[in-house]
């Protein structure tokens, strides 16, 4: 497989489901994030890092729904 040139880590709060969907539908669909060919994978990849502030361990139901998408 091809070499990954760029990794984008995106920090997000648990309930920012809509914001994550906007990113997925817009710039995360750019050609860099798409598989270039069967032999070479994408040149860029991303991941959402979802956390909560203040040590709270409560997880939103919407976050669980978002993980399934």
């Amino acid at each position: 497989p091809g070499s990954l040139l760029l990794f984008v880590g995106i920090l997000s709060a648990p309930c920012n489901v809509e914001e994550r969907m906007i990113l997925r539908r817009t710039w995360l669909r750019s050609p860099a994030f798409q598989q270039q060919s069967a032999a070479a994978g994408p040149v860029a990849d991303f991941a959402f890092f979802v956390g909560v502030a203040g040590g709270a361990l409560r997880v939103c139901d919407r976050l669980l729904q978002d993980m399934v998408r």
Side-chain angles (χ1 to χ4, degrees):
S3 297
L4 192 64
L5 298 177
L6 175 69
F7 179 81
V8 178
I10 304 161
L11 300 176
S12 180
C15 291
N16 288 345
V17 176
E18 298 303 319
E19 290 82 352
R20 290 191 296 277
M21 287 307 300
I22 290 168
L23 289 175
R24 287 184 186 108
R25 286 190 304 254
T26 58
W27 62 272
L28 294 177
R29 286 193 177 171
S30 72
F33 291 98
Q34 306 305 311
Q35 186 165 333
Q36 303 299 312
S37 68
V43 295
D45 203 358
F46 71 94
F48 289 104
F49 295 94
V50 181
V52 292
L57 297 177
R58 186 175 60 103
V59 178
C60 299
D61 288 337
R62 293 182 70 193
L63 175 60
L64 295 174
Q65 293 171 358
D66 186 42
M67 291 169 53
V68 178
R69 293 183 190 181

